[in-house]
Amino acid sequence: MRSPEEKQRPRCPRPPGEPRWVAMFHEPAQDTWTVGAESPYREPVLYAVGDMTRTVRARGAEAAVALWGPGDGGWRLYGTPSAPPPTPVPERPAPGSAAPDRLAERMTDRRHQVLMAGLSKAGLYDLGPEDGEAVRTLVDRLDEPTVRRVAHWLSAAGGPR
């Protein structure tokens, strides 16, 4: 059980700059708040908060988030929830569950986006059907770190000379 002192966190400071949607994460090791996500729109920030919170919890730590946004002509703190207890994760997916398929599809889409971004930075915008098939083949056969490396090479090739 944690002591009351451990449960209390310092008040989250207001983010700098003009009001926009900002998620601030508390870092217990440094006892500081840092910006985790920001956008003029609320939805992308909430999406990022969900992803970051799941990552922190997967590492066995507690996530503390403060959500700031525009309100009444200035900044408004929409909440500083301490993370609820992690939801139990089933040891095995239920038979017929689509969760592993959705994760695989998401990772494939992510690798595809990374590779397409690298091609765009290399100046290759007008891709034909054969190019699309080549990208799909690479995405299916390569893991994410390798796709990121290839995208980095393409970005460097298309950069200023």
Side-chain angles (χ1 to χ4, degrees):
M1 191 97 197
R2 296 173 53 179
S3 70
E5 294 81 27
E6 289 176 314
K7 288 184 181 180
Q8 293 178 348
R9 289 181 190 84
R11 183 170 164 81
C12 179
R14 187 183 80 187
E18 292 296 314
R20 63 201 177 282
W21 290 99
V22 176
M24 303 279 288
F25 281 81
H26 183 254
E27 295 183 18
Q30 292 86 18
D31 197 27
T32 59
W33 290 88
T34 58
V35 174
E38 59 184 305
S39 172
Y41 307 102
R42 183 180 179 138
E43 290 77 21
V45 172
L46 293 177
Y47 182 81
V49 166
D51 272 356
M52 287 185 240
T53 301
R54 280 188 292 280
T55 300
V56 169
R57 287 183 185 152
R59 293 178 180 157
E62 180 183 329
V65 183
L67 179 63
W68 288 86
D72 300 326
W75 283 103
R76 178 175 169 207
L77 180 60
Y78 284 88
T80 344
S82 59
T87 54
V89 178
E91 291 182 24
R92 292 177 183 241
S97 170
D101 293 335
R102 282 193 359 237
L103 178 60
E105 181 181 337
R106 182 174 170 213
M107 295 308 294
T108 299
D109 290 346
R110 188 168 158 172
R111 289 191 307 268
H112 188 270
Q113 289 173 346
V114 167
L115 197 51
M116 292 303 290
L119 289 167
S120 293
K121 287 185 178 181
L124 301 171
Y125 306 102
D126 188 22
L127 300 178
E130 289 177 349
D131 298 318
E133 185 58 37
V135 168
R136 280 188 290 284
T137 300
L138 282 172
V139 166
D140 290 341
R141 293 186 182 173
L142 300 177
D143 61 1
E144 188 166 353
T146 305
V147 168
R148 288 190 179 281
R149 195 71 199 147
V150 170
H152 171 76
W153 294 336
L154 291 167
S155 297
R161 297 178 191 230

